[in-house]
Amino acid sequence: MSEDTARREDREDVPAGVEGGSPGSPRLVTPALLRSWPLPEPDGTKYSRGLALVVGGSCSTPGGVMLAGTSALRMGAGRLHIGTADDVAMPVAVALPECGTTGLPQDDEGAITGERAGALLEKELSRADAVLLGPGLSDAEGAARLLEEVVTVLPDDTPVVLDAFGATTLPDVSVQVVERLSGRLLLTPNSGELARLVEQETLSGDDEVVEAALAVARRFGAVVGANTWIVAGDKVWQVTTGDTGLGTSGSGDVVAGAALGLLSRRAGLVQALVWAKYVHAAAGDDLAARLGRVGYLAGEIPPQLPLVLGSLRGD
């Protein structure tokens, strides 16, 4: 077995005792389940905890990459790099001093065009431990070109998280790109984005969301998280923690970034998403208890993430 194959399989294994359930009887995600499925220990320096790379944003929506990147660091990633629209790369670096940035070509509206993105990000892509593409992107055509460019350069064993436009452009990219992503792909669409992936206008109720997530997981060889559900293959987990206050602008970027941070720490694909979904929801519950059921901001969630992680470890 090659080293790359061993690394890929290590990311995908789901230990006995924490397997998902059936669509009609999902496995509930609880603190007991998570404690029986511990994350890789965050030992060593920032280099041993991995480099998280976030690619996305635009001149009108730079906050998505910042929320995602901050969340990745809060979940234990050692280093962070952000690729975003050229005009906002420097302001993002100033606002988030923990990251490095790369400016990417943009159009007259300030949206990333995707042109030359692979070459501009080649160094960071070659050494990233996990990549998130999608938060804050504002143009579908540019997002598809960006995904094509990134995957062409990205090593074959690097896990990829696609969120928002990054996920919904999957049907628009080449078969070769889809094949290269299969088996190392994590998707975090909302219900509207999930509907587009199955070519429906809307999804009504949990049953339709789960059915769509199962179809998308099979089609793209992905682990899929939508709403309270996580799907891998034909297995289903459900997070019942969390409340309506999590439905706030930028909250999805936090989830995607949290999963990215855990992947950077060498968590498996399923483990990273199950943990990220639960920790995000529990952080929302903590904020609701202090601030109210609604009204807290997505930017207030990341500081809660390591506190929830600590409570699950018994720190």
Side-chain angles (χ1 to χ4, degrees):
M1 180 185 296
S2 70
E3 181 180 354
D4 286 352
T5 302
R7 289 179 66 189
R8 178 80 62 84
E9 290 187 357
D10 177 62
R11 288 185 182 275
E12 293 177 354
D13 285 346
V14 178
V18 297
E19 304 98 329
S22 66
S25 181
R27 183 67 178 267
L28 298 183
V29 181
T30 65
L33 181 144
L34 297 178
R35 291 187 180 109
S36 68
W37 195 4
L39 295 168
E41 283 295 322
D43 296 327
T45 69
K46 63 183 180 181
Y47 299 100
S48 63
R49 297 203 308 280
L51 169 62
L53 174 60
V54 181
V55 185
S58 70
C59 289
S60 61
T61 53
V65 291
M66 296 174 64
L67 285 168
T70 301
S71 299
L73 291 174
R74 291 290 191 177
M75 293 295 273
R79 294 179 294 156
L80 172 65
H81 194 90
I82 292 176
T84 192
D86 194 44
D87 282 355
V88 292
M90 184 63 71
V92 166
V94 173
L96 188 58
E98 296 85 357
C99 77
T101 60
T102 296
L104 301 176
Q106 63 188 59
D107 62 20
D108 292 341
E109 303 297 323
I112 292 175
T113 65
E115 296 170 356
R116 299 188 295 112
L120 291 167
L121 289 168
E122 184 172 9
K123 178 180 178 181
E124 304 306 329
L125 289 166
S126 69
R127 62 182 184 173
D129 292 277
V131 175
L132 165 61
L133 189 149
L137 291 176
S138 59
D139 178 74
E141 183 178 342
R145 187 182 299 114
L146 177 64
L147 181 57
E148 295 258 6
E149 283 272 334
V150 165
V151 172
T152 299
V153 177
L154 190 67
D156 287 338
D157 64 325
T158 306
V160 176
V161 183
L162 297 182
D163 181 57
F165 264 133
T168 58
T169 56
L170 268 176
D172 304 322
V173 299
S174 68
V175 173
Q176 291 78 9
V177 166
V178 172
E179 289 176 346
R180 288 194 64 180
L181 287 171
S182 179
R184 54 159 167 170
L185 182 59
L186 195 158
L187 302 177
T188 56
N190 60 33
S191 58
E193 293 156 356
L194 183 63
R196 184 188 186 283
L197 288 171
V198 293
E199 300 179 345
Q200 296 184 31
E201 289 189 8
T202 60
L203 298 172
S204 300
D206 286 340
D207 289 346
E208 288 194 5
V209 169
V210 172
E211 182 180 351
L214 288 165
V216 169
R218 289 190 295 267
R219 178 180 177 184
F220 296 108
V223 178
V224 180
N227 297 353
T228 64
W229 305 95
I230 301 103
V231 169
D234 61 352
K235 299 300 182 183
V236 181
W237 292 257
Q238 184 181 19
V239 175
T240 57
T241 305
D243 195 15
T244 187
L246 289 169
T248 187
S249 179
S251 186
D253 301 321
V254 174
V255 175
L260 174 72
L262 294 180
L263 288 171
S264 299
R265 287 176 49 182
R266 304 211 52 76
L269 291 169
V270 180
Q271 183 185 35
L273 190 51
V274 169
W275 270 83
K277 282 279 194 180
Y278 181 90
V279 171
H280 169 259
D285 282 348
D286 289 347
L287 288 168
R290 291 194 291 110
L291 302 175
R293 190 180 177 202
V294 296
Y296 57 85
L297 307 179
E300 294 173 306
I301 301 174
Q304 297 295 125
L305 300 179
L307 300 177
V308 175
L309 283 174
S311 70
L312 291 169
R313 285 171 47 91
D315 293 350

